[in-house]
Amino acid sequence: MARENFPATMASTITDPPAKENPSPSPNDVRRRSFLKGLGVVGAALSAGSLLTGEAEAQDRSGIITVGDVAILRFLAATELIETDLWQQYNELGGIQDSEVPGGSGSRLYTKALEVLDGDMPQYIHDNTEDEMTHELFINAYLVSKGAEPVSLDPFRTLPSSQATGAQQIGRLTNLMQLSVDTTWYTRYRSRTGNPDLGDTFPQAIPSIATGQHPAIPRTDDDVQPDPSKPHHISDLTQAIANTAGFHFATIEQGGTSLYPQVAQRVTSLEVLRIVLSLGGTEICHFQTWSDKAGNSPQLSVVDPVTGSTVTFPDLNSPPFGGEDFQTNLIMPEPTAFLNRNLPACSIIRPTATKGAAMGALKAFTAGGLFIGQSPQFFKFMRTLAIEADLAVRQ
Ligand SMILES: [Fe+2]
Ligand SMILES: [Fe+2]
């Protein structure tokens, strides 16, 4: 959605940054650093913790944030703009179009197919979309309030909209019609032994949508033609597209669920840490919801008439699937190895290792087909933001 569509009250918060300048280090700062250099390893660890907390608090009081914090927030702002763009497309066709999330007029049979997964899907899609809009607006407004540059991806809104009835005809940042949906989150969060941070890998829940290019929204009205032989006249093709969306929702939100704790470990200001923890928590809420709904996808197998590829949604509760790695109602994170396999298993978000987190998120978006059709300038811009965010260190 275009920024100018937001209420004036929200837009006005991102104007008039207070003029703040980074003060040069005081003699006290210099003395403190040389003092740290002189400590032994244990002493440095203990004392540095309390001193760094004191420095962060002082920095919060002074209203300045570090270059690293700005870089992390700018990358997060970009990912939130990307999330907003893709969720807006889902809402136009399968959510609730209203004053909170305007745009589009819905695709009746696509919406009905989503409701097969859960009768509340349109409401949840609407609410997830609104959440992403507020994340993006808040982070950018906060950056401006600190005198930092906000992030705009407006020059890259060049991808075509779905041609199906219900979608707005506007330029998009993301492509939801040629996705490869990584569904390893499904088995990763059910595993009681594996953790990607310890080098483990996980099988796909729905292998047939993990490779190739699959629509998660109807491309044209051909994808939502009624089939009188099916319940509610929902064709297998329309249901397959809705099922693909159901898994993609969780794929996107588990990414946010990991990204926020990953970058939180490298922010300096306590206020920025509070922002990252508070926004990241809602990504977990989203993921948990979608993790529940994806397992309700009805079994089917259909050949996509556009791509010629077969899409199969199996019974995940029966052989060769089934068991704890696939059981559909195991929607809460199973306890698993964390930090060190000698420690007891623990129910956790995974992965959370911080090294290269931003570039990892960008690569995952890209590998999923979300940016098919985007310009080299877009990738260059996003790569720069990711590199800068990954260079940030906690001070
Ligand atoms: Fe978000
Ligand atoms: Fe999200």
Side-chain angles (χ1 to χ4, degrees):
M1 124 178 281
R3 177 181 301 282
E4 50 270 24
N5 289 349
F6 286 108
T9 48
M10 296 178 92
S12 65
T13 62
I14 61 167
T15 57
D16 302 331
K20 296 239 163 72
E21 283 175 22
N22 288 351
S24 47
S26 70
N28 275 349
D29 290 338
V30 176
R31 270 202 302 277
R32 207 179 268 174
R33 282 184 201 124
S34 18
F35 165 67
L36 282 175
K37 267 188 211 158
L39 287 173
V41 174
V42 175
L46 291 173
S47 302
S50 54
L51 286 172
L52 288 172
T53 304
E55 281 186 357
E57 282 169 355
Q59 201 170 47
D60 282 348
R61 278 196 299 277
S62 73
I64 59 165
I65 57 174
T66 64
V67 169
D69 282 359
V70 168
I72 285 172
L73 289 173
R74 280 175 55 80
F75 182 74
L76 291 175
T79 61
E80 295 294 348
L81 281 161
I82 288 161
E83 280 196 296
T84 300
D85 180 86
L86 72 91
W87 276 109
Q88 179 67 45
Q89 295 183 64
Y90 281 128
N91 194 68
E92 289 174 18
L93 289 161
I96 295 172
Q97 304 85 37
D98 63 10
S99 60
E100 288 175 348
V101 187
S105 54
S107 169
R108 193 179 68 83
L109 280 169
Y110 176 63
T111 306
K112 281 211 158 307
L114 287 164
E115 285 171 337
V116 171
L117 276 63
D118 187 295
D120 289 323
M121 288 293 264
Q123 185 66 55
Y124 299 156
I125 291 168
H126 168 282
D127 291 354
N128 204 140
T129 310
E130 187 187 19
D131 289 359
E132 308 304 2
M133 291 156 111
T134 64
H135 285 173
E136 170 258 307
L137 280 170
F138 182 89
I139 297 172
N140 266 334
Y142 184 79
L143 283 165
V144 172
S145 79
K146 296 293 177 188
E149 198 185 344
V151 176
S152 169
L153 297 179
D154 286 349
F156 308 117
R157 295 184 192 279
T158 55
L159 299 183
S161 293
S162 160
Q163 296 301 299
T165 303
Q168 293 190 93
Q169 292 307 307
I170 56 175
R172 311 286 184 174
L173 293 173
T174 61
N175 181 344
L176 296 178
M177 296 177 277
Q178 293 173 277
L179 295 177
S180 309
V181 183
D182 182 344
T183 58
T184 54
W185 55 265
Y186 188 99
T187 52
R188 187 198 323 143
Y189 271 94
R190 283 165 171 76
S191 170
R192 297 182 73 89
T193 53
N195 184 329
D197 289 335
L198 297 175
D200 296 313
T201 57
F202 304 86
Q204 296 285 348
I206 312 291
S208 69
I209 58 169
T211 56
Q213 298 186 348
H214 308 281
I217 52 174
R219 296 158 289 202
T220 66
D221 286 340
D222 289 348
D223 288 340
V224 282
Q225 289 301 308
D227 180 347
S229 72
K230 300 285 182 184
H232 306 293
H233 294 188
I234 302 165
S235 73
D236 281 350
L237 177 62
T238 304
Q239 190 63 59
I241 294 170
N243 289 1
T244 302
F247 275 88
H248 188 239
F249 296 165
T251 302
I252 289 295
E253 298 304 316
Q254 64 79 34
T257 292
S258 280
L259 179 62
Y260 276 86
Q262 286 174 321
V263 297
Q265 297 163 64
R266 286 186 283 109
V267 304
T268 297
S269 144
L270 290 181
E271 189 169 75
V272 174
L273 180 62
R274 182 178 179 185
I275 291 170
V276 172
L277 293 177
S278 303
L279 271 62
T282 66
E283 304 290 342
I284 302 169
C285 296
H286 300 156
F287 170 51
Q288 174 71 16
T289 302
W290 302 125
S291 169
D292 184 18
K293 306 312 164 198
N296 297 338
S297 298
Q299 299 165 51
L300 59 83
S301 195
V302 67
V303 177
D304 183 331
V306 176
T307 64
S309 60
T310 301
V311 177
T312 302
F313 289 87
D315 177 359
L316 292 169
N317 290 310
S318 301
F321 299 98
E324 286 220 323
D325 284 355
F326 290 96
Q327 189 179 316
T328 53
N329 66 356
L330 288 183
I331 57 165
M332 301 203 184
E334 290 292 318
T336 195
F338 182 39
L339 299 179
N340 180 327
R341 292 190 202 275
N342 293 327
L343 290 167
C346 186
S347 180
I348 45 153
I349 298 304
R350 60 265 217 178
T352 53
T354 190
K355 188 165 186 276
M359 192 58 83
L362 179 60
K363 280 184 178 164
F365 275 150
T366 306
L370 210 50
F371 302 138
I372 289 176
Q374 268 294 359
S375 62
Q377 291 84 353
F378 169 81
F379 288 105
K380 187 174 172 205
F381 184 82
M382 287 301 302
R383 263 198 307 273
T384 303
L385 288 182
I387 289 167
E388 287 171 355
D390 282 337
L391 285 173
V393 288
R394 177 169 161 74
Q395 291 174 12

